[in-house]
Amino acid sequence: MALNPFSSGTRLRDMIRAIRASKTAAEERAVVRRECAAIRTAISERGQEELRHRNMAKLMFIHMLGYPTHFGQMECLKLIAAAGYPEKRIGYLGLMLLLDERQEVLMLVTNSLKQDLNHSNPFIVGLALCALGNICSAEMARDLAPEVEKLLRSRDVNTKKKAALCSVRIVRKVPDLAENFMGLAASLLKEKHHGVLISAVQLCTELCKASKDALEYLRKNCIEGLVRILRDVSNSSYAPEYDVAGISDPFLHIRVLKLMRMLGQGDADCSEYMNDILAQVATKTESNKNAGNAILYECVETIMGIEATSGLRVLAINILGRFLSNRDNNIRYVALNILMRAITVDTQAVQRHRVTILECVKDADASIRKRALELVFLLVNDTNVKPLTKELVDYLDVADPDFKEDLTAKICSITEKFSQEKLWYLDQMLKVLSLAGNHVKDDVWHALIVVISNASELQGYAVRSLYTALQAYSEQGSLLRVAVWCIGEYGEMLVNNVGMLEAEPPITVTESDAVDAVELGFNRYSADVTTRSMCLVALLKLSSRFPSMSERIKQIVAQNKENMVLELQQRSIEFGSIIQRHQSIRSSLLERMPVLDEAAYLVKRASATQATIPAYKPASGVTPGDLKLPNGVAKPAAAPLVDLLDLSSDDAPVTSTSATTTPNDFLQDLLGIGGTNLSTAGVPSASTDILMDLLSIGPSPSQNGLLDLISPAQEQKPVSAVPQVVSLVPEPMDLLGSLSSSASSSGTKSSTVVPQAADLLDGLSASTSVSGLDDACPSITAFQSATLKIVFDLRKQLGKPQETTIHATFTNLTSTTYTDFIFQAAVPKFIQLRLDPASGNVVPASGKGSVTQGFNVTNSQHGQKPLAMRIRMSYKVNGEDRLEQGLVSNFPPGL
Amino acid sequence: MILQYHTSEIIIFTENFLDNLLRGLVIEYFSVVRPDAAHPANATPADQETQTRLIAIPSQLPSSNLTTSQPSSSSPSMIRFILLQNRQGKTRLAKYYVPLEDSEKHKVEYEVHRLVVNRDPKFTNFVEFRTHKVIYRRYAGLFFSICVDITDNELVYLECIHLFVEILDHFFSNVCELDLVFNFHKVYLILDEFILAGELQETSKKAIIERMGELEKLD
């Protein structure tokens, strides 16, 4: 007793006191450091065995405070190997605290454990079982399973229950061992002692999970035992030892019910056998205390899980109804939780509690709200969608800001999924945008625009309501975007009250009001580049809708000629020149967009959401999120593109109809511009501008809109078509200033260009000079930005049509040398690619020399699919990392 | 003539994926929705297959180390850890039934404390924690937290906490935080008699107190 390290006055207590007395963290660290040093010395010096377990106890305390204590691990093992119970006790405790199953040191303890499991002292056996149950590894489980099996037959209840739980761990680690334990586990269910029973039940549950054979065996052998246990425990008279709030051993109740669920699942006979006792538990259990509710909860779960009779199911759903109206938040929470699972079993029954569930959405507790919202979402169907949505939208107004996002997402997906009439959908979306426009995801408002574009009879109503809403809720980002888009497209409907609906109040909006609204939107401090770009496009469109406003719009647009954001600056210059210099074509240029293809959008969106799931957050560059909107409002660069593209529809109404129906062949249309251009000499300037504007969009930062756009051209039409068009440009000088790089990249992309030719006009002339492709060695400019240019020299090998050897030349267009230059490429899976090492990783400045790299591509679908390649260049400028990416799809046909 | 912006040639992948793809120079696949498919709706089965594959590319998921690497398919419904913390976040007892690195344990303790400490007492005693659920209960200045599976019976763990507290209270006769600090090893001993391998071992307060009495005599 004198050696007891824990009696008062010994040093563990002193150490804890000293640590607690420390006033600062530094002081505490000093105490700990001193203690650790002392313990280390004690460990290294022999002959202090009697202090060992005291030191170990101290070390555990230090460990709990978060200090490293690895040096004590071996001491644990020594203590476990000691003879006495006190040493072993501290040793095993240290083992469980300081070590876990992943440490190799643990293997050293296997032998000691084995000896202790066979020890004559049941307390020591208990210690060993406890340690094994808490930290054993798979290897130890295999080694020591026979010992544990033997202990399951022990006569001591403490040993038996510990051995049973130890087996749980063993079976978890090594499921193959399940068969060894199933007989013993079933026989343990005949015991009387609750500790043994509950351990045995848990072991059986684990066995069912681990092995099908064990599940079958237990179905046959222990279902009667379980029913008997449950009956005994629920019918037993007051037993003070196990009583919790008037219920005898709720823990055992619950474990048995859980095991019954495992056994009854998918087995009608077993389920049949349990029906009576489940009904009894469900009806007789008191539900005014937590313990009783816990049993009812488990009971309901079991009834839902097994092949229960319909009467029993009704009973279960009714219990849930009671739970839902309970005052206690905990109970309501679990009720929502199970209802969610019950909905697959019995939707009608759950529907009955709709009102209550809806109330829970408005609860103050976030845990409850979250569950309830998910449940409501599952409950919505065609008949109840309107009242439910109304409730949710009404609540949106007062909801917590951090809950709004979830709520908005759910409302949007409900309205989209179940909207039967467009007007209703429009109204709901309008409310959502007004109340929580800043929480609306991009694809939601994209979809709204697609719908508006398709509903010609509602466009007037939409633009007017959006305008009205914008006056009241101008701070909502996506409301602003949609409104601005609609005002741009349908501005005249706003002003003239075109297409009034019956119940719609007329509003008076002047042309100047409409422009005001867009201008305000543009100048909002919270507006981002996308919104501002959309505003600019809308203004441009309005300049043609309202000729009287044209001068004012010009001024607004002109204000941004020096905008810091390149995108806006560029637009502003381009749009300014459209308004000012090209009035003849302006109206046709700024016609309304063609109707967006709804079906195509939905498909895109579906695949996009699928693909973005693992991506966590859609990135801006090439994500599907940006691609799914055919109308192009998705990304800033694309918006003007579309507008410029749709201008063509009025040039030739005949083709426009065919083009809208088959969106895929816009390419021909693109090329068609060139064609008509040639024939209709009357409006050469029109196509010039079109083309230039088109081209200008290409290389906007990080985007490849144009490349994407033009790329299919190469598959269907002679490559020379594009440069041909470019060569027709008579006087593009005014635009060239801002556009030179873009024009050159797209203009020359399908032509052979000398790598050094950075000058635009050189590029153009070069391109025009190319009439056909040299089969032996054509070159393409695979990529060009303001900083970097890549030229591919292509070579075919005789007799191997699939294979192409590419020689890439990288040229630095800036005045700073690039270091650590790495070129990477990815190709579709029908293409194989082999990269050779590059000639160097330093690209000298200003095009004075270049780096080359060869690679080989094999197109396994030669003749059917063209080559395509995505490339990425990473390099350092003055030690700063840079990254550029691009899509190469301008390979000559036939590769 | 009409030009319509149409994304017929779209590479369906995310930048993340591209990174993965490029990093290893795995030049094998990305999916291209072919323009020759007359309509995007006509995505070929091959395209869909590629898409599913893309999804299967492991992205950086939040670590869910709380799930043990189980050979069996179903995750065990066991207690993952038990924490006893005071209001300041000092851990008075921490018992893990799944292996975690020390640094990870500290993170877990910190996060759980932050989750539970500011909750309104009227709120539920359950909070979702990573992929699991923490059932907690406050007794004076001490928070008892049990981390279990998301589908487990929350109410019964609430009872567990209460039973454990009753046992402590009985054993230390009117337990207070200081008892637990100075006798931490005994608290562990009691816990080991109450819960083993993440499962309940004994449900009788009397049995555990008696057992503790026997063990005390051996020391």
Side-chain angles (χ1 to χ4, degrees):
Chain A
M1 272 302 152
L3 294 179
N4 184 345
F6 307 117
S7 59
S8 62
T10 55
R11 287 196 52 210
L12 173 67
R13 223 160 227 286
D14 292 344
M15 184 193 78
I16 297 177
R17 282 217 181 90
I19 288 174
R20 286 179 54 80
S22 323
K23 294 216 165 44
T24 62
E27 229 175 286
E28 182 187 296
R29 276 199 296 275
V31 176
V32 170
R33 212 178 304 126
R34 213 164 45 235
E35 285 293 341
C36 282
I39 295 169
R40 275 173 201 266
T41 327
I43 288 172
S44 57
E45 282 170 17
R46 294 179 171 273
Q48 291 213 314
E49 263 82 35
E50 69 278 8
L51 289 178
R52 213 180 238 154
H53 63 312
R54 186 171 86 183
N55 284 337
M56 198 61 230
K58 283 192 206 164
L59 222 79
M60 280 188 270
F61 189 81
I62 290 170
H63 176 84
M64 274 172 61
L65 295 174
Y67 295 91
T69 49
H70 303 292
F71 57 88
Q73 290 178 348
M74 287 311 288
E75 284 299 282
C76 274
L77 307 192
K78 285 184 197 153
L79 279 171
I80 290 169
Y85 171 83
E87 286 83 8
K88 279 187 189 293
R89 198 198 111 197
I90 291 297
Y92 278 119
L93 190 54
L95 185 75
M96 288 186 280
L97 273 185
L98 306 185
L99 290 161
D100 64 47
E101 61 190 89
R102 293 168 305 183
Q103 263 116 7
E104 302 242 324
V105 196
L106 200 59
M107 286 312 293
L108 301 175
V109 91
T110 314
N111 224 10
S112 309
L113 270 171
K114 193 167 191 160
Q115 278 171 10
D116 286 348
L117 288 173
N118 291 316
H119 207 280
S120 57
N121 181 344
F123 293 103
I124 288 176
V125 175
L127 283 178
L129 278 174
C130 183
L132 192 63
N134 283 344
I135 60 161
C136 89
S137 63
E139 279 167 81
M140 289 168 82
R142 265 184 237 278
D143 289 348
L144 299 174
E147 268 72 24
V148 177
E149 249 182 271
K150 205 172 71 196
L151 290 171
L152 276 173
R153 298 194 185 88
S154 149
R155 285 165 62 196
D156 177 44
V157 286
N158 275 308
T159 308
K160 244 191 298 202
K161 67 186 185 192
K162 282 194 165 69
L165 293 179
C166 213
S167 317
V168 171
R169 169 99 184 186
I170 290 173
V171 173
R172 253 179 223 157
K173 290 284 154 202
V174 193
D176 304 347
L177 292 171
E179 276 82 15
N180 301 6
F181 288 99
M182 59 195 187
L184 282 163
S187 68
L188 282 181
L189 293 176
K190 298 188 182 82
E191 298 273 337
K192 284 272 175 284
H193 188 276
H194 282 209
V196 178
L197 277 180
I198 198 167
S199 308
V201 169
Q202 287 167 129
L203 174 56
C204 290
T205 314
E206 200 57 44
L207 291 172
C208 292
K209 282 186 203 158
S211 132
K212 282 219 165 61
D213 292 348
L215 178 62
E216 282 309 317
Y217 177 86
L218 292 173
R219 267 181 185 152
K220 281 200 199 84
N221 292 290
C222 73
I223 191 72
E224 282 170 54
L226 282 178
V227 171
R228 186 181 46 78
I229 295 171
L230 195 53
R231 187 175 297 133
D232 288 352
V233 75
S234 64
N235 291 343
S236 71
S237 50
Y238 178 70
E241 211 178 322
Y242 296 103
D243 183 74
V244 177
I247 290 165
S248 179
D249 208 341
F251 304 100
L252 184 57
H253 265 104
I254 284 160
R255 301 291 148 166
V256 173
L257 285 166
K258 191 169 171 184
L259 179 54
M260 283 182 158
R261 181 160 72 243
M262 302 221 57
L263 298 179
Q265 215 155 30
D267 187 311
D269 291 346
C270 266
S271 306
E272 166 75 34
Y273 204 87
M274 296 174 218
N275 267 336
D276 287 349
I277 185 70
L278 288 177
Q280 189 197 329
V281 172
T283 45
K284 292 224 174 120
T285 309
E286 292 277 343
S287 65
N288 48 4
K289 284 276 164 44
N290 181 55
N293 284 326
I295 295 176
L296 286 173
Y297 172 26
E298 198 70 32
C299 192
V300 169
E301 284 253 51
T302 299
I303 292 172
M304 294 295 178
I306 65 168
E307 319 295 313
T309 59
S310 59
L312 208 51
R313 291 223 163 129
V314 172
L315 195 62
I317 296 278
N318 287 343
I319 293 175
L320 292 182
R322 284 213 307 274
F323 274 16
L324 262 186
S325 47
N326 200 303
R327 281 269 198 71
D328 186 347
N329 276 340
N330 287 342
I331 309 289
R332 287 215 315 248
Y333 175 87
V334 298
L336 292 169
N337 233 345
I338 332 178
L339 279 173
M340 215 138 84
R341 272 168 265 164
I343 207 161
T344 48
V345 180
D346 191 349
T347 320
Q348 276 314 309
V350 183
Q351 287 286 4
R352 258 178 271 143
H353 302 295
R354 210 173 55 219
V355 182
T356 328
I357 296 167
L358 211 52
E359 281 309 302
C360 293
V361 175
K362 304 170 186 172
D363 201 275
D365 186 348
S367 300
I368 291 195
R369 277 199 311 248
K370 205 172 155 199
R371 289 275 148 242
L373 185 62
E374 277 167 29
L375 190 53
V376 167
F377 184 62
L378 295 175
L379 280 178
V380 176
N381 60 27
D382 287 333
T383 51
N384 62 18
V385 61
K386 287 195 177 175
L388 272 179
T389 315
K390 185 177 180 313
E391 285 279 340
L392 292 180
V393 170
D394 288 348
Y395 178 60
L396 194 56
D397 201 13
V398 290
D400 258 19
D402 46 346
F403 187 52
K404 267 187 184 165
E405 189 159 345
D406 274 352
L407 190 57
T408 318
K410 286 280 191 285
I411 296 177
C412 293
S413 78
I414 290 172
T415 46
E416 281 169 24
K417 212 158 114 198
F418 294 99
S419 81
Q420 291 134 352
E421 51 209 87
K422 285 187 169 174
L423 181 60
W424 179 79
Y425 167 76
L426 208 63
D427 281 337
Q428 302 310 313
M429 289 310 296
L430 204 63
K431 282 186 204 154
V432 172
L433 287 179
S434 308
L435 293 172
N438 290 327
H439 302 283
V440 171
K441 301 231 164 44
D442 278 353
D443 55 340
V444 170
W445 63 266
H446 293 173
L448 177 61
I449 286 184
V450 174
V451 170
I452 295 177
S453 145
N454 277 284
S456 53
E457 71 287 354
L458 290 176
Q459 282 162 355
Y461 170 73
V463 67
R464 285 186 295 273
S465 338
L466 281 164
Y467 177 83
T468 322
L470 191 60
Q471 303 304 314
Y473 305 98
S474 57
E475 75 286 356
Q476 302 292 354
S478 39
L479 175 70
L480 180 61
R481 289 182 188 183
V482 180
V484 159
W485 187 87
C486 288
I487 293 174
E489 290 296 317
Y490 314 115
E492 72 280 7
M493 297 186 172
L494 172 64
V495 177
N496 305 329
N497 279 333
V498 177
M500 290 285 284
L501 298 186
E502 271 175 33
E504 194 189 337
I507 53 168
T508 332
V509 184
T510 64
E511 294 181 347
S512 133
D513 288 342
V515 176
D516 281 346
V518 181
E519 191 190 1
L520 270 175
F522 186 87
N523 290 331
R524 274 202 74 78
Y525 69 94
S526 58
D528 58 3
V529 181
T530 311
T531 313
R532 294 216 159 113
S533 312
M534 290 179 73
C535 288
L536 276 182
V537 175
L539 285 171
L540 179 66
K541 292 217 164 189
L542 286 181
S543 75
S544 125
R545 310 269 190 283
F546 310 144
S548 60
M549 285 287 123
S550 166
E551 199 48 37
R552 184 172 157 215
I553 288 171
K554 201 177 94 193
Q555 276 165 12
I556 302 173
V557 170
Q559 283 163 11
N560 292 289
K561 278 197 171 143
E562 280 153 19
N563 198 308
M564 292 294 282
V565 183
L566 190 63
E567 175 69 32
L568 298 177
Q569 190 187 79
Q570 187 177 335
R571 271 165 200 260
S572 157
I573 292 169
E574 291 162 8
F575 293 176
S577 100
I578 290 175
I579 296 172
Q580 194 169 9
R581 301 170 51 110
H582 303 290
Q583 304 202 342
S584 54
I585 57 146
R586 192 176 66 192
S587 60
S588 49
L589 197 63
L590 304 174
E591 259 304 316
R592 203 173 284 163
M593 284 179 67
V595 171
L596 302 163
D597 187 343
E598 210 166 357
Y601 171 72
L602 291 176
V603 170
K604 288 263 158 60
R605 189 177 174 192
S607 63
T609 32
Q610 236 179 5
T612 37
I613 290 165
Y616 177 63
K617 176 187 151 300
S620 62
V622 278
T623 45
D626 288 342
L627 305 168
K628 55 203 166 194
L629 248 209
N631 68 7
V633 287
K635 48 184 176 183
L641 178 56
V642 181
D643 290 302
L644 290 161
L645 290 176
D646 70 46
L647 62 96
S648 44
S649 59
D650 32 275
D651 277 5
V654 188
T655 33
S656 86
T657 44
S658 69
T660 28
T661 47
T662 52
N664 274 353
D665 51 8
F666 85 89
L667 210 342
Q668 280 98 327
D669 296 310
L670 173 70
L671 299 172
I673 285 190
T676 17
N677 207 6
L678 289 170
S679 53
T680 56
V683 282
S685 63
S687 52
T688 307
D689 280 320
I690 295 164
L691 197 57
M692 291 323 295
D693 285 319
L694 240 177
L695 294 177
S696 72
I697 291 147
S700 65
S702 85
Q703 308 268 0
N704 284 297
L706 182 59
L707 298 186
D708 285 334
L709 234 174
I710 292 191
S711 54
Q714 273 69 49
E715 296 151 22
Q716 296 165 10
K717 290 264 170 167
V719 202
S720 51
V722 173
Q724 224 178 357
V725 178
V726 177
S727 68
L728 287 167
V729 176
E731 24 92 69
M733 295 311 170
D734 55 336
L735 293 173
L736 282 183
S738 62
L739 303 177
S740 62
S741 69
S742 56
S744 69
S745 72
S746 20
T748 56
K749 62 203 289 285
S750 51
S751 57
T752 43
V753 179
V754 202
Q756 290 82 7
D759 182 288
L760 165 74
L761 292 178
D762 278 6
L764 287 177
S765 59
S767 69
T768 47
S769 69
V770 176
S771 50
L773 286 168
D774 183 355
D775 274 334
C777 184
S779 300
I780 56 167
T781 304
F783 177 83
Q784 174 147 14
S785 68
T787 50
L788 186 68
K789 176 168 170 168
I790 302 174
V791 174
F792 283 177
D793 289 309
L794 312 168
R795 201 161 284 141
K796 277 272 172 211
Q797 276 171 19
L798 280 177
K800 286 184 190 164
Q802 303 96 337
E803 219 175 295
T804 311
T805 310
I806 300 176
H807 191 75
T809 311
F810 311 103
T811 312
N812 181 349
L813 302 178
T814 65
S815 54
T816 329
T817 304
Y818 297 163
T819 54
D820 297 337
F821 185 90
I822 295 170
F823 168 80
Q824 295 167 314
V827 291
K829 59 177 177 151
F830 58 86
I831 295 173
Q832 268 114 51
L833 183 140
R834 204 192 65 236
L835 272 175
D836 296 333
S839 66
N841 63 356
V842 177
V843 192
S846 315
K848 291 184 206 116
S850 50
V851 169
T852 58
Q853 184 164 19
F855 51 98
N856 236 328
V857 286
T858 311
N859 184 352
S860 62
Q861 303 208 19
H862 177 72
Q864 299 160 31
K865 295 187 177 180
L867 277 187
M869 185 181 295
R870 187 157 274 277
I871 54 175
R872 185 166 94 155
M873 285 67 63
S874 61
Y875 53 86
K876 283 188 177 156
V877 181
N878 297 331
E880 220 184 302
D881 283 321
R882 296 285 172 83
L883 194 69
E884 291 192 65
Q885 323 195 353
L887 177 76
V888 189
S889 46
N890 56 338
F891 288 103
L895 288 187
Chain B
M1 73 231 133
I2 179 168
L3 298 179
Q4 189 168 0
Y5 179 69
H6 185 75
T7 50
S8 52
E9 175 119 349
I10 287 167
I11 290 93
I12 299 200
F13 56 44
T14 61
E15 280 196 339
N16 242 359
F17 170 65
L18 183 68
D19 278 358
N20 289 342
L21 197 67
L22 290 174
R23 199 171 294 131
L25 278 180
V26 189
I27 320 280
E28 228 197 286
Y29 41 69
F30 64 70
S31 140
V32 176
V33 175
R34 301 304 318 159
D36 51 358
H39 199 273
N42 303 351
T44 60
D47 286 330
Q48 281 155 8
E49 185 198 302
T50 347
Q51 282 168 25
T52 40
R53 191 150 27 152
L54 292 182
I55 292 163
I57 296 288
S59 57
Q60 284 165 342
L61 292 168
S63 68
S64 57
N65 293 347
L66 299 178
T67 322
T68 46
S69 50
Q70 284 303 310
S72 61
S73 55
S74 62
S75 80
S77 65
M78 58 186 270
I79 297 172
R80 305 303 152 116
F81 58 78
I82 297 175
L83 289 180
L84 218 162
Q85 298 168 306
N86 69 7
R87 253 193 318 201
Q88 288 73 41
K90 276 231 188 310
T91 304
R92 293 307 181 199
L93 171 121
K95 184 89 181 171
Y96 293 87
Y97 296 98
V98 287
L100 291 179
E101 291 297 330
D102 277 353
S103 57
E104 183 70 13
K105 286 181 185 172
H106 294 150
K107 230 168 90 190
V108 163
E109 286 161 27
Y110 173 75
E111 283 177 31
V112 169
H113 174 253
R114 269 210 352 213
L115 272 178
V116 301
V117 78
N118 285 326
R119 269 176 73 89
D120 192 309
K122 286 196 297 278
F123 286 2
T124 55
N125 294 84
F126 323 128
V127 273
E128 272 152 45
F129 172 70
R130 302 190 190 176
T131 50
H132 291 70
K133 190 154 53 184
V134 166
I135 321 293
Y136 74 95
R137 204 160 184 171
R138 182 178 161 175
Y139 289 87
L142 279 179
F143 289 93
F144 291 73
S145 314
I146 295 188
C147 176
V148 294
D149 237 48
I150 207 92
T151 52
D152 249 339
N153 187 330
E154 299 90 348
L155 301 178
V156 76
Y157 288 107
L158 219 47
E159 282 305 319
C160 275
I161 292 176
H162 189 70
L163 182 56
F164 184 55
V165 173
E166 275 188 11
I167 295 167
L168 290 178
D169 197 48
H170 204 278
F171 182 78
F172 290 107
S173 41
N174 246 334
V175 69
C176 70
E177 192 180 338
L178 273 194
D179 290 327
L180 305 182
V181 175
F182 283 100
N183 297 294
F184 69 93
H185 47 93
K186 286 186 187 164
V187 181
Y188 277 110
L189 208 57
I190 296 174
L191 188 62
D192 283 340
E193 290 298 323
F194 181 44
I195 288 165
L196 204 161
E199 308 278 0
L200 280 175
Q201 180 188 171
E202 180 58 68
T203 54
S204 155
K205 181 168 71 180
K206 187 167 147 252
I208 292 176
I209 297 290
E210 279 174 10
R211 170 85 176 168
M212 283 306 291
E214 288 172 39
L215 294 178
E216 288 265 279
K217 274 186 225 144
L218 293 169
D219 257 340

